Amino acid sequence: MSIVVASEVATALASRGAVVALESTIICHGMPYPKNLQMAMEVEAIIRDNGAIPATIAVLDGVPHVGLNNEQLKRLAISGRQFQKTARRDIVHVIASGGNGATTVSATMFFAHKVGIPVFVTGGIGGVHRHGEQTMDVSSDLTELGKTPVAVVSAGVKSILDIPRTLEYLETEGVTVAAYRTNEFPAFFTEISGCQVPCRVDSPEECAKIIYANKNLRLGSGILIAVPIPKQHATSGKIIESAIQTALKEAGYSQHLHFWNGKIRVVGLRSRME
């Protein structure tokens, strides 16, 4: 498979320089234009200011690109949802059809590893959805972390997800989960989730050591390093959780599953009040 690697990214990798992978779904599906373009360029600038080369990843006209120029970033930002949200399962279809894809965590990890980028930074990863034990709705981000040796730095998992079950699933997948300067796994909008982590790192050097150990041992799995949102930007976890529970109650519906010819299918929605 042909992957186009931006010249500055290729040069940095060849010289063993620091390169940080970035996803593109947040650009196309996470924010409206022009805020999405502003965000993408600001994130890349922050990475450059800290001595590394940013490598935003996307599929353009059926070709995977690792590292985008300003015009390509603008194309993603303007196109928005016209770019297909592309997880690992979608890569083959998007490429074979000559389509355009905005990579999620799983697809970004896949392409980053293909070209030798060991670190990927994102906002929040996917996880086990609430009531996931009934719906089996589990993000491919978790299985990708279980089989792709890339260190993912994020603010935790999205707060609407089931954090305890997500951490249990990551344990099953053999993923090292570390929290930065805290013993508690952060919850995206807030610094706390009530869930303890098995590994704490207190400096960039300690992060580098666990990444190196993972690579040296050839475990084959990824690492999740959760960095709490800065205090000045944090919102009370109780307020967020209360808002989520209120929304769920107001919706008043849950998926209703049935077995049909030996397969589980969603046949409709049923009110929890019934």
Side-chain angles (χ1 to χ4, degrees), residues 23 30-31 37-38 43 54 61 65 70 74 82-83 93 95 124 138 140 142 157 161 185 199-200 235 250:
E23 66 162 283
M31 298 180 180
L37 178 60
Q38 180 184 359
V43 170
D61 303 314
H65 283 64
N70 288 343
K74 186 175 181 179
Q82 294 177 36
F83 271 62
H93 167 66
I95 290 175
V138 180
S140 63
L142 305 187
V157 301
L161 303 177
F185 192 80
C199 174
R200 170 176 173 154
T235 304
E250 288 178 352

Side-chain angles (χ1 to χ4, degrees), residues 235-252:
T235 304
S236 169
K238 290 183 179 180
I239 294 176
I240 294 293
E241 180 62 23
S242 175
I244 292 171
Q245 291 300 329
T246 298
L248 290 172
K249 184 177 180 180
E250 288 178 352

Side-chain angles (χ1 to χ4, degrees):
M1 178 179 61
S2 176
I3 300 176
V4 175
V5 182
S7 58
E8 65 171 350
V9 174
T11 299
L13 290 173
S15 62
R16 302 177 68 85
V19 180
V20 177
L22 298 167
E23 66 162 283
S24 50
T25 292
I26 192 172
I27 301 173
C28 295
H29 293 259
M31 298 180 180
Y33 180 80
K35 289 184 178 180
N36 54 355
L37 178 60
Q38 180 184 359
M39 176 278 302
M41 298 186 75
E42 285 181 356
V43 170
E44 289 207 350
I46 290 171
I47 291 173
R48 293 183 191 281
D49 290 344
N50 284 275
I53 299 297
T56 300
I57 297 175
V59 179
L60 304 176
D61 303 314
V63 179
H65 283 64
V66 177
L68 304 179
N69 58 37
N70 288 343
E71 285 303 311
Q72 290 169 328
L73 284 175
K74 186 175 181 179
R75 178 184 173 187
L76 261 71
I78 293 176
S79 298
R81 293 180 180 272
Q82 294 177 36
F83 271 62
Q84 181 176 336
K85 188 175 182 180
T86 304
R88 171 186 268 263
R89 70 165 188 182
D90 308 301
I91 293 172
V92 171
H93 167 66
V94 174
I95 290 175
S97 64
N100 297 303
T103 57
T104 64
V105 169
S106 63
T108 303
M109 288 183 68
F110 172 80
F111 287 121
H113 178 56
K114 278 285 185 181
V115 302
I117 300 175
V119 178
F120 163 39
V121 173
T122 188
I125 67 167
V128 178
H129 283 252
R130 298 185 187 220
H131 307 293
E133 73 279 9
Q134 297 173 350
T135 65
M136 298 302 291
D137 193 346
V138 180
S139 171
S140 63
D141 296 353
L142 305 187
T143 51
E144 197 68 39
L145 275 160
K147 61 189 174 187
T148 303
V150 171
V152 179
V153 182
S154 80
V157 301
K158 297 176 178 66
S159 61
I160 61 172
L161 303 177
D162 189 321
I163 294 176
R165 283 192 172 93
T166 296
L167 293 174
E168 288 288 347
Y169 198 101
L170 287 169
E171 179 186 3
T172 300
E173 289 291 320
V175 178
T176 298
V177 177
Y180 191 68
R181 294 180 178 173
T182 178
N183 295 312
E184 189 164 338
F185 192 80
F188 197 67
F189 288 112
T190 183
E191 304 162 271
I192 59 175
S193 66
C195 300
Q196 298 297 299
V197 292
C199 174
R200 170 176 173 154
V201 285
D202 288 297
S203 68
E205 290 76 17
E206 288 185 18
C207 293
K209 285 180 179 178
I210 65 171
I211 293 172
Y212 175 76
N214 187 66
K215 179 180 179 181
N216 193 43
L217 289 169
R218 298 183 180 179
L219 288 174
S221 53
I223 297 172
L224 177 61
I225 301 175
V227 181
I229 186 172
K231 291 183 182 295
Q232 63 269 30
H233 299 302
T235 304
S236 169
K238 290 183 179 180
I239 294 176
I240 294 293
E241 180 62 23
S242 175
I244 292 171
Q245 291 300 329
T246 298
L248 290 172
K249 184 177 180 180
E250 288 178 352
Y253 292 94
S254 62
Q255 288 184 327
H256 184 37
L257 305 180
H258 271 254
F259 283 94
W260 183 264
N261 291 334
K263 296 181 180 180
I264 295 178
R265 59 183 287 209
V266 178
V267 298
L269 296 173
R270 179 175 61 187
S271 172
R272 292 180 188 169
M273 301 301 290
E274 294 176 355

